[in-house]
Amino acid sequence: QVQLVESGGGLVQPGGSLRLSCAASGKLFSFNRLGWYRQAPGKQRDLVASVDNFGVTNYADDARGRFTISRDSAANTVHLQMNSLNYEDTAVYYCNAEVYPIQSPKETYWGQGTAVTVSP
């Protein structure tokens, strides 16, 4: 089992910045990937960015260049620095963990979600 605790959401003006954090605990195994997804009202949940424990990152097209994902491996914490926020970034952001136990299927875990609202 993996537990994910998120923090850092809130209200921000267009053009502003926010930093989301997610602390992971539990059995992360030797290979894992931590990331952020978001879900706007009436839309599906989509990947924003992810980073594995080797530091390989992956970004959605609309996040690349504005958002930066980073990872503190010692603390099993992942951060998402979001800059130049616009209205389309308004969503509930979910921390995600993918772990790969040896000789077992991938396991996926979700945080409880943190709301980000971009508004004047």
Side-chain angles (χ1 to χ4, degrees):
Q1 290 289 324
V2 174
Q3 295 76 43
L4 302 171
V5 179
E6 302 149 334
S7 61
L11 176 66
V12 62
Q13 294 183 341
S17 298
L18 275 179
R19 178 179 167 94
L20 306 182
S21 296
C22 174
S25 60
K27 292 186 176 181
L28 291 172
F29 295 97
S30 59
F31 180 74
N32 58 78
R33 182 179 291 112
L34 299 179
W36 290 93
Y37 284 68
R38 68 185 181 187
Q39 187 168 21
K43 295 188 177 182
Q44 67 181 23
R45 189 176 299 186
D46 291 323
L47 173 71
V48 177
S50 66
V51 56
D52 67 26
N53 56 315
F54 293 98
V56 178
T57 58
N58 184 34
Y59 290 93
D61 288 343
D62 59 357
R64 191 175 295 112
R66 297 188 300 129
F67 297 179
T68 302
I69 193 166
S70 60
R71 179 169 178 155
D72 180 343
S73 294
N76 284 325
T77 301
V78 63
H79 307 284
L80 184 68
Q81 178 66 42
M82 304 187 293
N83 299 327
S84 303
L85 286 161
N86 57 55
Y87 299 117
E88 288 71 33
D89 296 316
T90 295
V92 177
Y93 285 69
Y94 295 90
C95 184
N96 167 270
E98 296 178 349
V99 300
Y100 296 80
I102 297 174
Q103 296 183 336
S104 295
K106 179 183 73 174
E107 299 175 2
T108 301
Y109 298 91
W110 296 95
Q112 77 281 5
T114 185
V116 171
T117 303
V118 183
S119 180

